[in-house]
């Protein structure tokens, strides 16, 4: 049985650091499957009108395709080019909840994320996605600086 690791990417340098850490860890573990995940934040608490939310639903497939092409596919290629087993997923949802759900679905033993790049009012009101994940996850979470 191989170890399964979920890597949460955010499209920023923090995600790249998480990817590098996961690549090193997978090399040390040996038999390891990596699941690269990008979550497009989708919250019922966002400050959008009902009309804006309806428009966003229409763009949903385009957002998923763009995230897949720009973030997930290159990350998976980097891992597989290194000889590792990797797949990718893009989902809409709350970042912490979605990463945890995917880890449970996949039978992952760990989630690896970069330190949050969020700042400002939203972080103070809702907390960072990384902090929420650490508090709520059903498996260990490694936060890479």
């Amino acid at each position: 049985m191989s170890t399964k690791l979920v890597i949460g990417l955010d499209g920023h340098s923090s995600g790249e650091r998480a990817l590098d850490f996961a690549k090193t860890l997978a090399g040390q573990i040996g038999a390891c499957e990596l699941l690269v995940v990008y979550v497009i934040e989708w919250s019922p608490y966002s400050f959008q009108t009902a009309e804006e939310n309806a428009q966003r639903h229409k763009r949903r497939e385009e957002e998923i395709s763009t995230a897949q092409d720009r973030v997930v596919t290159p990350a998976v290629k980097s891992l597989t080019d290194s000889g590792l087993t990797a797949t990718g997923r893009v989902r809409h949802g709350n970042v912490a909840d979605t990463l945890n759900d995917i880890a449970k679905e996949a039978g992952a033993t760990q989630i690896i994320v970069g330190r949050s790049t969020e700042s400002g009012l939203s972080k103070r009101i809702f907390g960072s996605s990384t902090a929420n994940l650490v508090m709520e996850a059903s498996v260990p979470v490694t936060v890479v600086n």
Side-chain angles (χ1 to χ4, degrees):
M1 184 169 128
S2 69
T3 301
K4 292 183 183 178
L5 305 175
V6 171
I7 309 161
L9 298 185
D10 61 1
H12 299 286
S13 61
S14 55
E16 290 299 317
R17 291 190 308 272
L19 189 66
D20 289 342
F21 179 84
K23 188 185 292 189
T24 300
L25 183 60
Q28 294 168 347
I29 292 171
C32 190
E33 296 176 43
L34 301 170
L35 178 53
V36 177
V37 178
Y38 182 89
V39 179
I40 301 168
E41 185 69 37
W42 186 264
S43 170
Y45 304 109
S46 64
F47 299 101
Q48 296 181 336
T49 66
E51 183 178 285
E52 289 169 328
N53 278 332
Q55 290 297 319
R56 183 152 188 216
H57 279 290
K58 291 178 184 177
R59 293 190 318 264
R60 192 174 180 136
E61 290 303 315
E62 182 180 317
E63 290 176 342
I64 289 172
S65 178
T66 300
Q68 184 74 40
D69 293 345
R70 292 183 185 173
V71 180
V72 174
T73 298
V76 169
K77 183 177 182 337
S78 169
L79 294 169
T80 57
D81 286 352
S82 297
L84 299 168
T85 302
T87 57
R89 291 187 194 167
V90 177
R91 292 233 183 118
H92 277 88
N94 172 279
V95 174
D97 293 341
T98 303
L99 285 173
N100 190 47
D101 290 345
I102 288 171
K104 287 191 286 190
E105 290 167 13
T109 56
Q110 184 175 0
I111 302 170
I112 300 167
V113 294
R115 185 172 45 88
S116 177
T117 57
E118 294 177 3
S119 62
L121 182 62
S122 126
K123 182 176 178 179
R124 283 179 273 181
I125 293 173
F126 300 112
S128 76
S129 297
T130 303
N132 291 335
L133 178 63
V134 168
M135 291 186 293
E136 299 169 8
S138 57
V139 297
V141 177
T142 297
V143 180
V144 180
N145 280 326

